[in-house]
Amino acid sequence: MFIDSHCHIDFPDFSEGAAPLLQRMQTARVTHALCVSVNLENCPRVLALAEAHDNVYASVGVHPDHDEGREPDVAELVQLARHPRVVAIGETGLDYYRMQRESVDWQRARFRTHIRAAREAGKPLIIHTRNAAEDTLAIMAEEGAGECGGVMHCFTESQAVADAALAMGFHLSFSGIVTFKSAKDLKEVARNAPLERLLIETDSPYLAPVPHRGKRNEPAYVADVAAEIAALRGMTPEAVGQATSRNFHRLFRTEAVR
Ligand code: NI
């Protein structure tokens, strides 16, 4: 019914292991989750989760907030992407929230590396952008990111940024933020987005949706994101689940399991 297109269940927040999480997913009718890598050091943990569980997929990449680990090159990312459970490259992108834009040439270079790897590997991109939408879109265009496509994850930007990403063939993934009362503009973007480009995610352990706000987030709660989008669009949560699951399987070329 529902698919969590972006979570970090390899993080220490989930030290109790995957079994209880998967059980609660089942109860909430969340059929699959995509566990997203944020650095090369934890990549083996992410891959192990996807190897151990048929309904957990993996991505490979280094997050723009991570400046302490090893830097990937195109060849290494392409090689990692050959793993049969890896369905995407990322998360990658730009984040000027924590760092001044003048000091993050390395972020832009790393982002270009990921786009080149995604194009070479023929896998979609998972893109993170924060306080950096203009540069993110410019680099996506310069590097031909539209060729491999992908998703703007945890989308919190304006309608104009949404339109630019959609024009490049990208999908928009909405997280628990869309359930927050204060997110009025974002609710509008979620209402207007083309149904066939919509994805839902938790970004767990962060950003738990209402009514779990402030607690540890987990993939089962993606059902609450679907319920909010359904309310905004005058649809049933089931219809949002079906559409976003179909979109997920098409984008990441995972076989559709009912
Ligand atoms: Ni993330």
Side-chain angles (χ1 to χ4, degrees), residues 7-15 21 35-39 42-43 45-47 49 204-205:
C7 65
H8 301 286
I9 55 174
D10 59 306
F11 281 14
D13 309 72
F14 300 107
S15 58
L21 291 179
C35 186
V36 174
S37 288
V38 297
N39 57 32
N42 281 352
C43 224
R45 289 168 58 92
V46 174
L47 295 178
L49 277 164
S204 50

Short mmCIF file of all heavy atoms in Angstrom, two decimals, residues 7-15 21 35-39 42-43 45-47 49 204-205:
data_model
loop_
_atom_site.label_atom_id
_atom_site.label_comp_id
_atom_site.label_asym_id
_atom_site.label_seq_id
_atom_site.Cartn_x
_atom_site.Cartn_y
_atom_site.Cartn_z
N CYS A 7 14.63 6.52 4.03
CA CYS A 7 14.80 6.37 5.47
C CYS A 7 16.24 6.00 5.76
O CYS A 7 17.02 5.67 4.86
CB CYS A 7 13.85 5.31 6.03
SG CYS A 7 14.17 3.65 5.42
N HIS A 8 16.60 6.09 7.04
CA HIS A 8 17.97 5.78 7.47
C HIS A 8 17.91 4.77 8.61
O HIS A 8 18.32 5.05 9.75
CB HIS A 8 18.69 7.06 7.91
CG HIS A 8 18.77 8.10 6.84
ND1 HIS A 8 19.62 7.99 5.76
CD2 HIS A 8 18.08 9.25 6.64
CE1 HIS A 8 19.47 9.04 4.96
NE2 HIS A 8 18.53 9.82 5.47
N ILE A 9 17.37 3.60 8.33
CA ILE A 9 17.20 2.61 9.40
C ILE A 9 18.50 1.89 9.75
O ILE A 9 18.51 1.02 10.62
CB ILE A 9 16.08 1.58 9.05
CG1 ILE A 9 16.33 0.91 7.71
CG2 ILE A 9 14.70 2.26 9.06
CD1 ILE A 9 15.35 -0.22 7.40
N ASP A 10 19.60 2.29 9.08
CA ASP A 10 20.92 1.78 9.47
C ASP A 10 21.52 2.61 10.61
O ASP A 10 22.53 2.22 11.18
CB ASP A 10 21.87 1.83 8.27
CG ASP A 10 22.02 3.25 7.73
OD1 ASP A 10 20.99 3.88 7.43
OD2 ASP A 10 23.16 3.74 7.63
N PHE A 11 20.89 3.75 10.95
CA PHE A 11 21.46 4.64 11.95
C PHE A 11 21.39 4.01 13.35
O PHE A 11 20.54 3.15 13.61
CB PHE A 11 20.70 5.98 11.98
CG PHE A 11 21.08 6.94 10.87
CD1 PHE A 11 21.81 6.53 9.77
CD2 PHE A 11 20.69 8.28 10.94
CE1 PHE A 11 22.14 7.42 8.75
CE2 PHE A 11 21.02 9.18 9.92
CZ PHE A 11 21.75 8.75 8.83
N PRO A 12 22.28 4.44 14.26
CA PRO A 12 22.30 3.88 15.62
C PRO A 12 20.98 4.07 16.37
O PRO A 12 20.71 3.35 17.33
CB PRO A 12 23.42 4.65 16.33
CG PRO A 12 24.17 5.37 15.28
CD PRO A 12 23.35 5.42 14.05
N ASP A 13 20.16 5.03 15.94
CA ASP A 13 18.83 5.23 16.54
C ASP A 13 18.00 3.95 16.51
O ASP A 13 17.04 3.81 17.27
CB ASP A 13 18.06 6.31 15.79
CG ASP A 13 18.86 7.58 15.61
OD1 ASP A 13 19.82 7.56 14.80
OD2 ASP A 13 18.54 8.58 16.27
N PHE A 14 18.34 3.06 15.58
CA PHE A 14 17.56 1.82 15.42
C PHE A 14 18.37 0.60 15.86
O PHE A 14 18.35 -0.45 15.22
CB PHE A 14 17.11 1.66 13.96
CG PHE A 14 16.26 2.79 13.47
CD1 PHE A 14 16.75 3.73 12.58
CD2 PHE A 14 14.94 2.92 13.92
CE1 PHE A 14 15.95 4.79 12.13
CE2 PHE A 14 14.14 3.97 13.48
CZ PHE A 14 14.65 4.90 12.59
N SER A 15 19.06 0.75 16.98
CA SER A 15 19.97 -0.31 17.42
C SER A 15 19.21 -1.57 17.83
O SER A 15 19.82 -2.62 18.00
CB SER A 15 20.83 0.20 18.57
OG SER A 15 19.98 0.64 19.62
N LEU A 21 10.91 -2.97 13.45
CA LEU A 21 10.54 -1.92 12.49
C LEU A 21 9.73 -2.50 11.34
O LEU A 21 8.72 -1.94 10.91
CB LEU A 21 11.80 -1.28 11.87
CG LEU A 21 12.69 -0.43 12.73
CD1 LEU A 21 13.85 0.06 11.89
CD2 LEU A 21 11.92 0.75 13.30
N CYS A 35 16.44 2.41 2.04
CA CYS A 35 17.42 2.84 3.04
C CYS A 35 18.54 3.57 2.32
O CYS A 35 19.22 2.99 1.46
CB CYS A 35 17.94 1.63 3.82
SG CYS A 35 19.01 2.09 5.19
N VAL A 36 18.72 4.83 2.67
CA VAL A 36 19.58 5.73 1.90
C VAL A 36 20.93 5.93 2.59
O VAL A 36 20.98 6.28 3.77
CB VAL A 36 18.86 7.09 1.71
CG1 VAL A 36 19.76 8.11 1.05
CG2 VAL A 36 17.58 6.89 0.90
N SER A 37 22.00 5.73 1.85
CA SER A 37 23.35 5.91 2.38
C SER A 37 23.69 7.39 2.52
O SER A 37 23.28 8.21 1.69
CB SER A 37 24.39 5.29 1.44
OG SER A 37 24.36 3.90 1.50
N VAL A 38 24.45 7.72 3.56
CA VAL A 38 24.92 9.09 3.74
C VAL A 38 26.44 9.19 3.73
O VAL A 38 26.99 10.30 3.70
CB VAL A 38 24.37 9.74 5.03
CG1 VAL A 38 22.86 9.84 4.97
CG2 VAL A 38 24.82 8.98 6.26
N ASN A 39 27.13 8.06 3.78
CA ASN A 39 28.60 8.09 3.64
C ASN A 39 29.07 6.70 3.19
O ASN A 39 28.29 5.75 3.16
CB ASN A 39 29.28 8.52 4.95
CG ASN A 39 28.92 7.64 6.12
OD1 ASN A 39 28.68 6.43 5.98
ND2 ASN A 39 28.88 8.22 7.31
N ASN A 42 29.35 3.76 6.15
CA ASN A 42 28.16 2.99 6.58
C ASN A 42 27.49 2.22 5.45
O ASN A 42 26.52 1.50 5.67
CB ASN A 42 27.13 3.92 7.22
CG ASN A 42 27.49 4.25 8.65
OD1 ASN A 42 28.44 3.67 9.20
ND2 ASN A 42 26.78 5.18 9.24
N CYS A 43 28.03 2.41 4.24
CA CYS A 43 27.43 1.74 3.08
C CYS A 43 27.25 0.23 3.29
O CYS A 43 26.19 -0.31 2.94
CB CYS A 43 28.31 2.02 1.87
SG CYS A 43 27.36 2.43 0.45
N ARG A 45 26.59 -1.42 5.91
CA ARG A 45 25.42 -1.66 6.78
C ARG A 45 24.12 -1.51 6.00
O ARG A 45 23.18 -2.28 6.17
CB ARG A 45 25.40 -0.65 7.93
CG ARG A 45 26.47 -0.86 8.97
CD ARG A 45 26.54 0.36 9.90
NE ARG A 45 25.27 0.62 10.56
CZ ARG A 45 24.95 0.13 11.75
NH1 ARG A 45 25.81 -0.63 12.40
NH2 ARG A 45 23.79 0.41 12.30
N VAL A 46 24.08 -0.49 5.14
CA VAL A 46 22.88 -0.26 4.32
C VAL A 46 22.68 -1.44 3.36
O VAL A 46 21.57 -1.96 3.23
CB VAL A 46 23.01 1.08 3.56
CG1 VAL A 46 21.86 1.25 2.59
CG2 VAL A 46 23.09 2.24 4.54
N LEU A 47 23.76 -1.85 2.72
CA LEU A 47 23.67 -2.97 1.77
C LEU A 47 23.26 -4.26 2.50
O LEU A 47 22.44 -5.03 1.98
CB LEU A 47 25.00 -3.18 1.06
CG LEU A 47 25.45 -2.03 0.15
CD1 LEU A 47 26.81 -2.33 -0.47
CD2 LEU A 47 24.42 -1.78 -0.95
N LEU A 49 21.37 -4.57 5.13
CA LEU A 49 19.93 -4.51 5.42
C LEU A 49 19.12 -4.89 4.18
O LEU A 49 18.14 -5.64 4.25
CB LEU A 49 19.53 -3.10 5.87
CG LEU A 49 19.77 -2.78 7.34
CD1 LEU A 49 19.72 -1.28 7.57
CD2 LEU A 49 18.70 -3.48 8.19
N SER A 204 13.31 9.07 8.25
CA SER A 204 13.53 8.63 9.64
C SER A 204 15.01 8.31 9.86
O SER A 204 15.68 7.88 8.92
CB SER A 204 12.66 7.40 9.94
OG SER A 204 12.80 6.41 8.95
N PRO A 205 15.54 8.57 11.05
CA PRO A 205 14.85 8.83 12.32
C PRO A 205 14.39 10.28 12.54
O PRO A 205 13.88 10.59 13.62
CB PRO A 205 15.92 8.47 13.36
CG PRO A 205 17.21 8.83 12.68
CD PRO A 205 17.00 8.48 11.22
#
